[in-house]
Amino acid sequence: RTRHISQKVKDDVWNRDGGECTQCRGVENLEFDHIIPFSEGGANTYRNIQLLCEPCNRSKSNKIG
């Protein structure tokens, strides 16, 4: 398994999430986040990736959601 997220998935997630954090709607320092963490078996698929800003991603840590 690899953490690599394909460019197609990144493009699709970016478009779906409107280029903003799904938690706070921020548009700076965005990161691709696994909804089900990679460390917990989460896949690199469109349905399991979301955009989060760095602060929201850090507060989520490896929790599911």
Side-chain angles (χ1 to χ4, degrees), residues 12-31:
D12 290 346
V13 168
W14 184 275
N15 290 329
R16 180 197 66 206
D17 294 349
E20 61 185 23
C21 176
T22 59
Q23 299 297 310
C24 73
R25 301 298 173 206
V27 295
E28 294 185 16
N29 301 315
L30 296 174
E31 301 176 344

Side-chain angles (χ1 to χ4, degrees), residues 1-2 4 8 12 14 16 18 23 25 27-28 30 34 38-40 42 47-49 55 60 62:
R1 276 183 8 117
T2 177
H4 175 76
K8 169 139 178 51
D12 290 346
W14 184 275
R16 180 197 66 206
Q23 299 297 310
R25 301 298 173 206
V27 295
E28 294 185 16
L30 296 174
H34 290 83
F38 185 82
S39 63
E40 301 295 323
R47 291 180 51 161
N48 192 50
I49 303 293
K60 178 184 175 262
N62 71 336

